[in-house]
């Protein structure tokens, strides 16, 4: 199952996209359906390679290669890997367009927000300890110097 987000980017003019929000637990499910424009016309992506550059809030950068779905219409898609949403906060991204290994264009930027998932690694660790803690509470045992009978 994918969570698709439609984005319109331009190689020469400012693009207006609403900021969208994803979770740190969205594992390889975020699909960006991107339309690339050059002013009022579609940017021809035929024979091009598209790569998304994402700067995370911690200032590290992730690159994601996408696929052209309809070159003449300027359509491509990128499925974000886990690294693109592992850090909470506002992410900044732009699409780089290549012909072979040569960059031919870079789009304007767009932004998305990553929120911390309720069920995360720490919650899972704590949940796995619950049965033992619950038994100790029922037996009235002390846990790390705390007397549960008082």
């Amino acid at each position: 199952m994918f969570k698709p987000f439609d984005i319109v980017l331009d190689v020469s003019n400012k693009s207006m996209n609403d900021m969208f929000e994803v979770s740190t637990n969205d594992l390889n499910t975020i699909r960006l359906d991107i339309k690339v424009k050059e002013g009022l016309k579609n940017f021809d992506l035929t024979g091009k390679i598209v790569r998304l550059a994402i700067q995370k809030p911690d200032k590290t950068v992730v690159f994601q290669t996408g696929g052209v779905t309809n070159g003449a219409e300027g359509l491509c898609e990128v499925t974000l890997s886990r690294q693109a949403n592992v850090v909470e906060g506002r992410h900044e991204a732009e699409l780089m367009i290549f012909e072979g290994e040569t960059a031919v264009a870079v789009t304007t930027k767009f932004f998305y927000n990553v929120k911390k998932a309720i069920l995360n690694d720490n919650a899972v660790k704590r949940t796995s300890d619950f049965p033992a803690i619950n038994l100790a509470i029922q037996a009235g045992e002390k846990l790390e110097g705390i007397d549960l009978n008082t």
Side-chain angles (χ1 to χ4, degrees), residues 35-55:
K35 182 172 190 88
V36 182
K37 306 282 286 178
E38 185 173 15
L40 297 175
K41 62 181 183 167
N42 297 330
F43 186 90
D44 191 355
L45 294 175
T46 304
K48 307 288 191 297
I49 298 166
V50 292
R51 291 188 181 110
L52 196 63
I54 304 164
Q55 184 172 35

Side-chain angles (χ1 to χ4, degrees), residues 53-103:
I54 304 164
Q55 184 172 35
K56 300 188 280 187
D58 63 4
K59 302 300 180 200
T60 58
V61 177
V62 175
F63 295 98
Q64 303 273 191
T65 299
V68 174
T69 55
N70 185 333
E73 294 294 317
L75 300 175
C76 63
E77 69 180 25
V78 179
T79 301
L80 299 185
S81 74
R82 179 77 175 100
Q83 286 303 310
N85 63 306
V86 71
V87 177
E88 296 175 65
R90 182 176 181 258
H91 291 57
E92 181 176 359
E94 62 189 12
L95 189 71
M96 301 178 305
I97 303 164
F98 292 84
E99 198 164 300
E101 290 301 313
T102 305

Side-chain angles (χ1 to χ4, degrees), residues 136-149:
I137 291 170
Q138 289 174 1
E141 295 178 15
K142 286 188 175 185
L143 292 177
E144 295 183 29
I146 299 172
D147 186 353
L148 299 173
N149 291 319

